[in-house]
Amino acid sequence: MAFQNLKEIFLTTFKWILICVLIGVLSGSASAFFLVSLEWVTQFRIHHDWIIWLLPLGGLIVGYTYYFWGESVVKGNNLLLEEYESPKKVIPFKMAPLVLLGTLITHLFGGSAGREGTAVQMGGAIADQFTKFFKLDNSERKILIILGISAGFASVFGTPLAGAIFALEVLYFSKINVKSIILSFLVAYTAYFTVEFWQVKHTHYSIPIIPELNLHNIIYTAIVGVLSGFAALLFSRSTHFWGSLFSKNIKYPPLRPFIGGIILAIAIAGFGLTKFSGLGVPVIVDSFSNVNPWYDFLLKILFTGFTLGAGFKGGEVTPLFFVGATLGSALSVIIPMPIALLAGIGFVAVFSGATHTPIACTIMGMELFGIEPGIFIAIACVIAYFSSGSVGIYKSQIVKGIKYKLYQKLQKKELEHL
């Protein structure tokens, strides 16, 4: 009997290690291909900026692609969250190539979008295919979705610790079992090293000067955290607002990105605002050493919300980095702290507020910038998390825990005063 139990434990352990390795290698390879392709289309657009005038054509291609073939996966990241909460059917594999194609088209023609959504959706679609192969039940399917999110996030940003924790935290931490935690870290590192194997490089950032940890600097950090939370709230509401507006007023889905593309092309190309196209990584890097205009973060919120709301594809996280870094950079004019530190704090704090993931964002900040600014990053991420409202960028995300209880109490108090 003891031997039988030992054998069963060994086979189960081997099965999940094998699943993690397969998901990590496949998702990491998909992310590596995506990152190389994304760099190519970005460079092409930068050297041929006339192509932005063809953004409506790109929108039409994306619109018709999803209209004819992608109706079941059009929800993107929200579909992953819904399937985790209430498992119904395996996520179609076509989610991966469709979101890859849609994102590359969006970036080629100059839409303002990110890349995390693409990598996470590819990872989730790849991971869920193992449900049938290994004959997994719904509770085990939940683990697969965690693994897909973890692998996608870790591989696309080169932050395995943050990727593993993000996958757990975005799905509400208290529902996660110990097995999921261990496997999430295993798949994150597998995906990360797979990208390294393919010799795909990630952007590096630096915070050279870390000030003394005193009361004044803690207060300044808290102020940046509050403002980052407000920026995150504005970003989330903007994306949802434009999505709702397009859905209500343009009933034929393929026309939404087409019409949105016309407006974006005129705004971006016509007014010379090309720095708000695509990821905006050069602007993010520059914000660590040079002061950005105070309105840059607002324009990025506007362009990204409009791009994604119109139906173009991509993620929200790198634009959130842009918003946070440029906000922090602009605040360096009035807050007496090093510009690189302020940009770095905003970089992760806005992301924390928009995704309700302060732990993952704190870890990500330390992975990207080093452990030295960790306490400043942690303070800002937690405060941004609490000050960013109850709705984040993912509509299907279930927000629980302390923040949920706090906002419930605030809502009750507001009702009592009516």
Side-chain angles (χ1 to χ4, degrees):
M1 194 68 169
F3 175 75
Q4 187 66 29
N5 290 340
L6 194 63
K7 180 183 177 183
E8 189 175 328
I9 291 170
F10 174 79
L11 290 175
T12 301
T13 303
F14 177 77
K15 177 183 76 174
W16 281 106
I17 291 175
L18 177 61
I19 288 172
C20 284
V21 171
L22 289 171
I23 292 173
V25 170
L26 292 173
S27 297
S29 296
S31 290
F33 175 78
F34 169 54
L35 290 171
V36 171
S37 303
L38 185 57
E39 178 63 18
W40 187 88
V41 299
T42 299
Q43 290 303 318
F44 185 88
R45 187 191 71 244
I46 290 172
H47 293 97
H48 306 83
D49 57 6
W50 54 265
I51 202 171
I52 294 175
W53 289 109
L54 298 180
L55 189 56
L57 174 62
L60 206 59
I61 295 170
V62 173
Y64 273 116
T65 300
Y66 271 82
Y67 184 70
F68 286 117
W69 297 292
E71 187 177 355
S72 61
V73 296
V74 72
K75 289 183 178 180
N77 286 355
N78 286 305
L79 178 60
L80 299 179
L81 300 179
E82 289 172 10
E83 281 297 323
Y84 177 84
E85 189 63 29
S86 302
K88 293 176 182 175
K89 60 180 181 179
V90 174
I91 295 166
F93 178 73
K94 63 182 177 181
M95 172 184 267
L98 284 176
V99 74
L100 173 64
L101 176 65
T103 303
L104 292 177
I105 290 173
T106 298
H107 283 273
L108 174 63
F109 292 104
S112 177
R115 56 193 173 185
E116 129 284 339
T118 307
V120 165
Q121 288 173 52
M122 289 194 299
I126 289 169
D128 212 14
Q129 305 314 304
F130 291 101
T131 298
K132 295 176 181 177
F133 188 82
F134 287 95
K135 298 179 181 178
L136 304 179
D137 59 27
N138 281 340
S139 65
E140 292 174 314
R141 264 199 75 209
K142 289 189 172 190
I143 297 176
L144 284 183
I145 292 173
I146 290 172
L147 299 183
I149 294 173
S150 176
F153 193 98
S155 58
V156 81
F157 290 123
T159 53
L161 277 175
I165 296 171
F166 176 81
L168 301 168
E169 198 175 11
V170 78
L171 293 168
Y172 182 37
F173 208 90
S174 70
K175 287 186 178 180
I176 307 299
N177 57 41
V178 175
K179 183 167 77 172
S180 299
I181 296 172
I182 296 170
L183 295 176
S184 183
F185 279 93
L186 176 58
V187 78
Y189 274 95
T190 304
Y192 167 75
F193 284 117
T194 299
V195 174
E196 291 286 299
F197 171 80
W198 291 117
Q199 298 183 357
V200 177
K201 303 300 180 184
H202 298 283
T203 306
H204 293 283
Y205 305 94
S206 174
I207 300 178
I209 302 172
I210 309 298
E212 179 187 351
L213 183 65
N214 55 37
L215 181 60
H216 286 93
N217 287 333
I218 290 174
I219 292 172
Y220 292 140
T221 302
I223 292 170
V224 177
V226 171
L227 294 176
S228 296
F230 291 163
L233 186 151
L234 185 60
F235 186 100
S236 301
R237 297 298 170 90
S238 171
T239 304
H240 300 327
F241 168 77
W242 290 115
S244 177
L245 189 70
F246 273 96
S247 297
K248 287 179 180 177
N249 293 286
I250 305 173
K251 299 301 180 184
Y252 190 55
L255 286 181
R256 294 169 194 164
F258 174 71
I259 294 172
I262 294 173
I263 297 170
L264 281 169
I266 293 171
I268 293 173
F271 291 90
L273 300 173
T274 53
K275 75 175 183 178
F276 298 104
S277 291
L279 296 172
V281 170
V283 178
I284 297 173
V285 173
D286 184 66
S287 67
F288 279 72
S289 54
N290 297 302
V291 178
N292 282 89
W294 65 267
Y295 50 81
D296 271 8
F297 81 98
L298 291 172
L299 287 176
K300 189 62 175 179
I301 289 173
L302 173 64
F303 282 118
T304 303
F306 192 89
T307 298
L308 298 177
F312 286 94
K313 297 302 169 183
E316 299 93 345
V317 173
T318 305
L320 285 169
F321 295 161
F322 184 116
V323 170
T326 53
L327 172 61
S329 174
L331 287 173
S332 67
V333 175
I334 56 174
I335 294 180
M337 292 178 75
I339 184 172
L341 178 62
L342 290 171
I345 289 172
F347 184 107
V348 286
V350 173
F351 177 31
S352 170
T355 58
H356 310 298
T357 57
I359 300 172
C361 292
T362 299
I363 298 297
M364 185 180 208
M366 288 189 282
E367 281 189 286
L368 291 173
F369 312 129
I371 200 168
E372 293 82 4
I375 187 66
F376 295 106
I377 289 168
I379 292 169
C381 284
V382 171
I383 291 176
Y385 163 70
F386 280 110
S387 59
S388 61
S390 57
V391 179
I393 55 175
Y394 308 128
K395 281 186 176 181
S396 298
Q397 183 181 14
I398 296 175
V399 182
K400 296 287 186 181
I402 300 173
K403 181 173 183 175
Y404 173 78
K405 293 175 182 177
L406 174 64
Y407 277 88
Q408 284 291 98
K409 286 183 179 180
L410 291 173
Q411 287 175 359
K412 285 180 181 177
K413 285 184 177 180
E414 287 177 4
L415 290 173
E416 287 172 0
H417 285 88
L418 290 176

